[in-house]
Structures are given as C-alpha cells and as structure tokens.
Amino acid sequence: MTSPSRSLTIERPGTHTLTEGPVPQPGPGEVRVRVAAAGICMSDREVYDGHRDPAYVRYPVVPGHEWSGTVEAVGEGVDPELTGRRTVAEGFRACGRCERCRYGETSLCTAGYDETGFTRPGAFADHVVVPARLLHPLADDADLRAAALLEPAAVVAAAVRAGAPEPGERIAVLGAGTLGLLAVQLLAAVSPAELVVIDPREGRAARALDFGADEARVPEEAKELRGRYDLVVETAGAPSTAADACLLARRGGRVVLTGMFTPGAVGIDPVHLSLSQLTVRSVFGASSAAWSHAVRAFTAGLLDPAPLITHEFPLERFAEAVALVGSGDPDTGKVLLRP
C-alpha cells in the first residue's frame, strides 16, 4: 500500500500530534485492521492529562483500546480467510502461559501489564496491528460504529458473569454511565423480577428505563431499598459506591464492583460484610471468556451499545473530543473518533 497511515500520538501529558507514516505491516501471528471507530473513555482522558498510574502507560503512546474495524492484512501463520472480516479485539496482551492465563483469567496475567492503547499502539489511528489470537470476529453485517463499545461491554460481561444473575432475582445497578447502561441491557436479558438503576444524575438514571430497567432512583431515594437486592452491580467508581452497594444487598446477597476507585474511597464496613454474609467480587478488565460473552450478546441482539453514542469526531478534532469526556455535560454520552 502506498497511501500513508495517520496516527494520533500523545507524546507526553497534554501534548499530542497527528502524523502520517507508512502503513504498518503485520508480523508473524498478527493482523492489520483498518479502524472504523474508536471510543474515548476516562482512561484515555487520564492518559492525556497525565493522571494515569505510570505503571499502566508508556509515553509516547497512540491511545485507543475501545475500537472496531475490518481486517485488512494478515501476517505469517495467520489464516488468510480473516481478511475482510469485521472484528474487535481484546486489549490485554496476555501471555497465555502463566497460571492465571491457563486458568482462563487472562485479565490477571502475571507476566506483566501490557495493553493496546496504553503500552502498545492503539486505535486512534487509521490502522492498528494486533495479535490474531486476540480477535473476536463479528457478523458480516455487524454495525462497526456500535461494536466500538464492545470493550466496555466485555468489562460489564465480566461483572455479570461474576454476579451469576438468575431469572426472578431482584437486581440493582449503581451508576448510569456507559458501564451501567450496558449492564442494564445484559441483566435485563436474564428476566429479573426487579431491575433498578441508581444514579445522582436524574436524567441519566431515567435513561436506564430505555435500556431495560424497571425503575430509576437517585441515591437519596435508594436508602429505603437497603437490604433488598439479591445482586448489586456497582459501575460508578465513586468514593462511596462500593460501601453503598454492600448496603443495598440482602443478607447472603452478591455484590460485584466494576468501577475503578481512586485513593480515598470509602471502605466497606467489615462488620456489615461478615454479619450479612455477602459475597463481594471485583472486576479488572475482561477475560477472553467475558469478551466472547459480550460478542455473543451483541450478535444475538441482546446488547445494543449504539444509543449510548452522542458525539463523533475525526482524528483531527481529538482535542475537542477528549475535552468532552469527563466534562460533566449531562448531554455527553459516548464519544467516538472516526478515522
């Protein structure tokens, strides 16, 4: 190929460049994907602002860990039939050999942190090169715009799998952001007796009704619901939501923590935890199994991330796009870059 390939690089916090270079070539076991859409999340904003833990980013870096595209070329040893397939791919570059990987917990790989868009070039570019083993091919008619959100959907799928919801249970979701609303869609598919979403932003909470929730409440209204729910899925990562989630669960209930908490978050009361005999799980990223779960739900029509998307920008308008993420604007949902 003779046409150049563009990529957006964050050289250091607060500084980015859009450059052109040769189209990247896949090596053995790799594929080159033409990027269709890439989502911007708070982790990308943290990379741009310089607030991400240094152990989880390497500058300069091409961000972009939420993306979709079409396989354009394959490297040595890769099935040529993948060429032309619409696809997404796991971000974690798990080793596949350590004990955690062999157990299926690829997001907990002990070989060291390595992830597309943070330590390897990501999808804020015309092309991204990834190991073929990380691909999750999609249907030929898959909506690639919506599929760009399958990475956060995979995280939510990991939480749902950990929570093991059953039909007829009472379920609460804390947070009505991207993760929360995707969680509502997946949880609604198991036919709960009650599915409530709690978020301090009334508009966001009310929007959950369109995604399958039965009821939407703000935190003050939810205090009367403490001790009611079989399963509570926390997605907000706010200072008090881990503790709040445990208070909402019934005795013997289950709590799954999905939000990324920062130092200073309120701890879980160990007395309440032991007396209530709660099962508390946390989620970090998504394993290969969780990715498969999300892709199957997407293909079956049980998961539709498209309504979450509110803004789309070309690579040239990255500064404008990233400023929207985390701005607090209630009308801003998911922001996409469209190379």
Side-chain angles (χ1 to χ4, degrees):
M1 298 181 65
T2 58
S3 59
S5 181
R6 301 170 302 156
S7 59
L8 189 142
T9 303
I10 297 178
E11 305 288 348
R12 57 185 181 278
T15 301
H16 71 278
T17 58
L18 181 61
T19 59
E20 292 185 349
V23 174
Q25 298 304 311
E30 295 181 330
V31 298
R32 180 178 72 237
V33 178
R34 175 75 190 197
V35 178
I40 306 177
C41 82
M42 275 303 298
S43 295
D44 300 308
R45 178 67 187 265
E46 289 170 0
V47 170
Y48 186 67
D49 291 341
H51 296 158
R52 188 168 173 86
D53 187 325
Y56 294 93
V57 64
R58 292 184 201 141
Y59 297 101
V61 64
V62 178
H65 62 287
E66 303 179 2
W67 58 270
S68 64
T70 303
V71 177
E72 199 172 68
V74 302
E76 180 184 350
V78 179
D79 184 357
E81 292 296 320
L82 284 172
T83 305
R85 288 296 302 272
R86 299 185 182 196
T87 194
V88 292
E90 299 173 33
F92 286 126
R93 305 290 184 97
C95 73
R97 298 182 298 274
C98 71
E99 182 181 19
R100 289 300 90 204
C101 283
R102 296 293 294 238
Y103 196 70
E105 296 174 341
T106 51
S107 59
L108 301 179
C109 176
T110 59
Y113 174 73
D114 196 10
E115 185 176 4
T116 301
F118 296 106
T119 63
R120 303 289 186 106
F124 290 179
D126 289 324
H127 302 90
V128 62
V129 173
V130 296
R133 61 185 173 83
L134 299 180
L135 294 183
H136 287 265
L138 305 172
D140 292 341
D141 60 350
D143 178 0
L144 289 178
R145 177 174 169 270
L149 276 67
L150 281 174
E151 192 277 341
V155 174
V156 168
V160 171
R161 287 167 57 85
E166 296 185 4
E169 288 193 315
R170 293 189 295 268
I171 302 175
V173 175
L174 267 69
T178 297
L179 292 181
L181 295 178
L182 290 173
V184 168
Q185 285 193 336
L186 287 180
L187 291 165
V190 302
S191 299
E194 180 181 333
L195 180 55
V196 64
V197 173
I198 301 164
D199 193 291
R201 302 162 295 183
E202 290 188 27
R204 296 288 293 188
R207 193 176 183 202
L209 301 177
D210 297 329
F211 284 75
D214 301 311
E215 190 176 358
R217 299 212 182 193
V218 296
E220 284 301 312
E221 297 173 333
K223 288 182 179 179
E224 64 190 62
L225 303 176
R226 288 178 175 178
R228 177 176 178 80
Y229 295 98
D230 301 290
L231 171 63
V232 182
V233 178
E234 185 282 330
T235 68
S240 67
T241 49
D244 293 340
C246 291
L247 293 175
L248 285 167
R250 64 163 172 82
R251 298 191 73 188
R254 290 130 33 226
V255 175
V256 183
L257 306 177
T258 308
M260 295 300 291
F261 298 94
T262 58
V266 178
I268 298 170
D269 181 358
V271 175
H272 175 76
L273 189 66
S274 59
L275 292 179
S276 297
Q277 197 174 309
L278 300 180
T279 299
V280 180
R281 289 282 307 273
S282 62
V283 168
F284 175 70
S287 67
S288 297
W291 270 92
S292 294
H293 184 117
V295 170
R296 286 196 303 269
F298 177 67
T299 302
L302 299 175
L303 180 70
D304 179 16
L308 293 170
I309 301 166
T310 59
H311 296 78
E312 301 177 53
F313 295 90
L315 289 175
E316 293 84 355
R317 295 174 63 187
F318 169 74
E320 184 180 348
V322 77
L324 279 174
V325 178
S327 66
D329 182 351
D331 295 326
T332 298
K334 197 64 187 178
V335 179
L336 296 185
L337 289 179
R338 300 294 299 270

